[in-house]
Amino acid sequence: MNLVHRKLCSSALWAKAVAAEMPGNVAGFDLGDSVLEIGPGYGATTRALARLVPRLTAVEIDGASAELLQREFGERVRVVHGDGAAMPFEDGEFSAVVCFTMLHHVPTTALQDAIFAEAFRVLRPGGVLRAIDGLESVPFRLLHIGDTLNALDPVSLWPRLTTTGFTDIKVDHVPKRSVRFSARKPH
Ligand SMILES: C[S@@+](CC[C@H](N)C(=O)[O-])C[C@H]1O[C@@H](n2cnc3c(N)ncnc32)[C@H](O)[C@@H]1O
């Protein structure tokens, strides 16, 4: 992440907004007893989620961020330094997988698809994937100068998730703002 982005994601303002929105962002989904978050960053989403779910694991590709989170959360959240596209977890280990504001940081479509495939693998049958991300726009691009920006194409999500094996796929988006989607691993 570039400096502006790092400042924003670690700010009290971002943490406050995320904490206020999180209950609504997962409302209507039975996340179950063991949730995996991919891409926790500075932990704003992790902090908000940890209050809502019984057991939380977070996998973060950046070693320094993972270490900070391990120190902050201790026993409360299992923080793992690893890649969401090749995760060190057993098949069917989690009741839900969530990704918030991280998929646009994944540099290629193939790697995003690898994250979908890994989410599918580590979900139990019936488990849910819930994700929210920003969409391509001029302000979003300016925020990512000198940083990775590979925004999702909302129209591509249904075929990509179907190919991965997911069912019950729902995609909502506000053009140039955000996309919210969910999908289920069949029983
Ligand atoms: C913009 S931050 C969002 C953090 C947090 N979810 C939030 O909303 O505050 C995106 C995070 O995803 C992480 N990330 C990117 N690719 C990843 C991958 N393949 N596996 C795990 N984490 C990844 C980045 O290192 C970064 O910390």
Side-chain angles (χ1 to χ4, degrees), residues 77-90:
V77 177
R78 175 167 61 137
V79 178
V80 176
H81 175 211
D83 183 353
M87 295 194 279
F89 304 123
E90 300 292 320

Side-chain angles (χ1 to χ4, degrees), residues 1 5 9 14 37-41 44-45 59-62 82-85 100-102 105-106 115:
M1 288 191 275
H5 218 126
C9 286
W14 177 252
E37 180 185 22
I38 305 176
T45 40
V59 60
E60 169 58 52
I61 201 166
D62 179 66
D83 183 353
F100 296 117
T101 322
M102 67 77 59
H105 280 286
V106 178
I115 289 180

Side-chain angles (χ1 to χ4, degrees), residues 46-128:
T46 317
R47 250 167 259 133
L49 269 173
R51 291 186 206 117
L52 303 176
V53 303
R55 191 147 40 106
L56 182 60
T57 300
V59 60
E60 169 58 52
I61 201 166
D62 179 66
S65 300
E67 209 179 306
L68 278 176
L69 293 175
Q70 277 158 356
R71 251 184 267 146
E72 174 180 344
F73 288 105
E75 301 284 297
R76 283 193 300 138
V77 177
R78 175 167 61 137
V79 178
V80 176
H81 175 211
D83 183 353
M87 295 194 279
F89 304 123
E90 300 292 320
D91 294 1
E93 202 174 318
F94 298 100
S95 49
V97 175
V98 297
C99 305
F100 296 117
T101 322
M102 67 77 59
L103 285 163
H104 68 275
H105 280 286
V106 178
T108 65
T109 300
L111 280 171
Q112 289 173 343
D113 285 342
I115 289 180
F116 296 152
E118 278 291 88
F120 187 87
R121 181 184 68 75
V122 302
L123 276 171
R124 296 175 195 154
V128 68

Side-chain angles (χ1 to χ4, degrees), residues 87-169:
M87 295 194 279
F89 304 123
E90 300 292 320
D91 294 1
E93 202 174 318
F94 298 100
S95 49
V97 175
V98 297
C99 305
F100 296 117
T101 322
M102 67 77 59
L103 285 163
H104 68 275
H105 280 286
V106 178
T108 65
T109 300
L111 280 171
Q112 289 173 343
D113 285 342
I115 289 180
F116 296 152
E118 278 291 88
F120 187 87
R121 181 184 68 75
V122 302
L123 276 171
R124 296 175 195 154
V128 68
L129 167 68
R130 174 67 166 153
I132 301 180
D133 218 304
L135 291 178
E136 176 77 48
S137 70
V138 173
F140 205 47
R141 191 149 281 285
L142 290 175
L143 181 64
H144 290 82
I145 286 173
D147 200 346
T148 303
L149 172 53
N150 181 29
L152 294 165
D153 169 10
V155 176
S156 74
L157 282 169
W158 195 89
R160 291 167 70 186
L161 293 166
T162 301
T163 303
T164 308
F166 283 105
T167 56
D168 199 11
I169 299 161

